[in-house]
Amino acid sequence: MSANNIVWHDASVTKEERRKKNNHGSYVLWFTGLSGSGKSTLANALSRQLFESEIESYVLDGDNIRHGLNKDLFFSESDRKENIRRIGEVSKLFVDSGQVVITAFISPYREDRAQVQQLLEENEFIEVYVECSLDECEKRDPKGLYKKARNHEIKDFTGIDSPYEAPINPDLTVNTETQTIQESVKIIIKYLENKQLIKVK
Ligand SMILES: Nc1ncnc2c1ncn2[C@@H]1O[C@H](COP(=O)(O)OS(=O)(=O)O)[C@@H](OP(=O)(O)O)[C@H]1O
Ligand SMILES: Nc1ncnc2c1ncn2[C@@H]1O[C@H](COP(=O)(O)OP(=O)(O)O)[C@@H](O)[C@H]1O
C-alpha cells in the first residue's frame, strides 16, 4: 500500500549528467554471502581503492544500516525481506546520485536479490557472491555470533537455523578461502575494467 496524492518530481540534474561529471558509471555491486564470509572487509577494501582512483563509491553495510535506518527490523524471513527491499531503494537513490554503491548484506533469499535487480535499470546491478564455506566462517567467527547461535543464545542465525540461498548465476564470484583480500579486490576491479565500468589510475 502507498499514499495517495503524491506526484513524482523530475530532478533538475539527471543521473546521466552526474555520471558524465564523475567520468564513470553508477551501479550497485551487490555482495552476498554468509556472516563472516568477508563482505564488509572486501567492500571497504574495494571502496578505498576506488577512492584512491577518484571513483565515487559508498558502502552500505548490514550491521551499520541495522543501527539506524533499519533498527526496527530483526531476522525473521519477513524482516530480512523488508531489510533488503529498503536497501534496494536506498541503492537506487545512490545510483541516481552517480555513485558506485557497494552493499554488504547477507541477503540470503534469491527472490529478494532478484527484486532489487528489477528495481534498477539494466546493467545497474552486479551480483558478487562472496563465497566461503560455513565451516570456515564459523572458524573465523569475528563477532562470536556463530558460537552464540550454536549455544541457542541467538535464533534464526544464517547457515545454522536460517537458510542461505547461494546465487545460481552470479556476475562474479570471489572465494575468500582461496583468495586473499587483495586478490579478491583485484578480481573485482579487473571485472569492472573489462566491462568498461571504471578506469583505475
Ligand atoms: N540471526 C542472525 N542472522 C544473521 N546475522 C545476524 C543475526 N543476528 C545478528 N546478525 C548480525 O547482523 C548482520 C546481518 O545483517 P544483514 O542485514 O546483512 O542480514 S540480512 O541480509 O537481512 O539477512 C550480520 O553481519 P555480517 O556478519 O557482517 O554478515 C551479523 O553480524
Ligand atoms: N581472504 C579473506 N577475504 C576476506 N576476509 C578474510 C579473508 N581471510 C580472513 N578474513 C577475515 O574474515 C573476517 C570477515 O569478516 P567480515 O568482513 O565482517 O565478513 P561479513 O561482512 O561477510 O560478515 C574478517 O575478520 C577478515 O579479516
Side-chain angles (χ1 to χ4, degrees):
M1 222 169 56
S2 52
N4 297 322
N5 307 316
I6 45 172
V7 179
W8 186 265
H9 258 283
D10 283 331
S12 59
V13 184
T14 67
K15 175 164 65 178
E16 283 65 35
E17 285 173 311
R18 292 181 194 278
R19 286 173 171 169
K20 206 165 165 196
K21 182 163 180 247
N22 285 343
N23 205 20
H24 59 77
S26 63
Y27 42 85
V28 184
L29 285 164
W30 189 279
F31 289 10
T32 173
L34 291 170
S35 176
S37 59
K39 302 178 300 295
S40 305
T41 303
L42 293 183
N44 282 290
L46 176 64
S47 190
R48 168 51 55 185
Q49 185 138 346
L50 294 178
F51 183 79
E52 316 257 313
S53 297
E54 288 167 30
I55 292 162
E56 301 287 339
S57 74
Y58 196 80
V59 176
L60 298 173
D61 185 279
D63 272 323
N64 297 353
I65 294 281
R66 280 173 174 278
H67 274 101
L69 177 65
N70 289 351
K71 70 196 288 186
D72 58 325
L73 300 177
F74 297 90
F75 290 92
S76 65
E77 183 173 345
S78 59
D79 276 10
R80 289 183 199 251
K81 196 176 203 52
E82 176 60 9
N83 183 38
I84 299 309
R85 187 193 71 78
R86 290 185 199 170
I87 300 312
E89 293 286 355
V90 172
S91 298
K92 188 176 166 139
L93 297 176
F94 273 88
V95 169
D96 200 49
S97 81
Q99 301 196 61
V100 175
V101 190
I102 310 169
T103 63
F105 296 82
I106 298 176
S107 45
Y109 297 109
R110 280 185 202 118
E111 188 189 332
D112 299 347
R113 299 193 298 265
Q115 265 170 17
V116 175
Q117 177 162 27
Q118 295 209 334
L119 195 62
L120 295 157
E121 287 180 23
E122 220 186 318
N123 304 324
E124 286 182 349
F125 180 89
I126 299 165
E127 189 175 48
V128 181
Y129 179 28
V130 181
E131 189 178 9
C132 187
S133 68
L134 179 62
D135 265 7
E136 173 64 18
C137 290
E138 209 168 340
K139 261 186 224 144
R140 289 180 188 169
D141 205 4
K143 301 168 204 152
L145 296 178
Y146 282 99
K147 190 161 180 246
K148 284 190 178 165
R150 290 288 184 198
N151 291 336
H152 307 289
E153 289 166 51
I154 308 179
K155 66 177 179 72
D156 296 334
F157 198 79
T158 307
I160 308 294
D161 55 353
S162 185
Y164 177 73
E165 298 173 358
I168 292 170
N169 194 16
D171 296 288
L172 193 60
T173 299
V174 288
N175 186 318
T176 66
E177 272 183 275
T178 56
Q179 292 150 203
T180 64
I181 298 167
Q182 274 323 309
E183 281 168 347
S184 295
V185 169
K186 230 179 186 173
I187 288 168
I188 300 167
I189 300 255
K190 205 86 266 92
Y191 173 91
L192 298 176
E193 283 178 328
N194 287 344
K195 296 265 173 194
Q196 301 195 323
L197 290 167
I198 49 165
K199 277 187 230 133
V200 172
K201 287 177 191 153

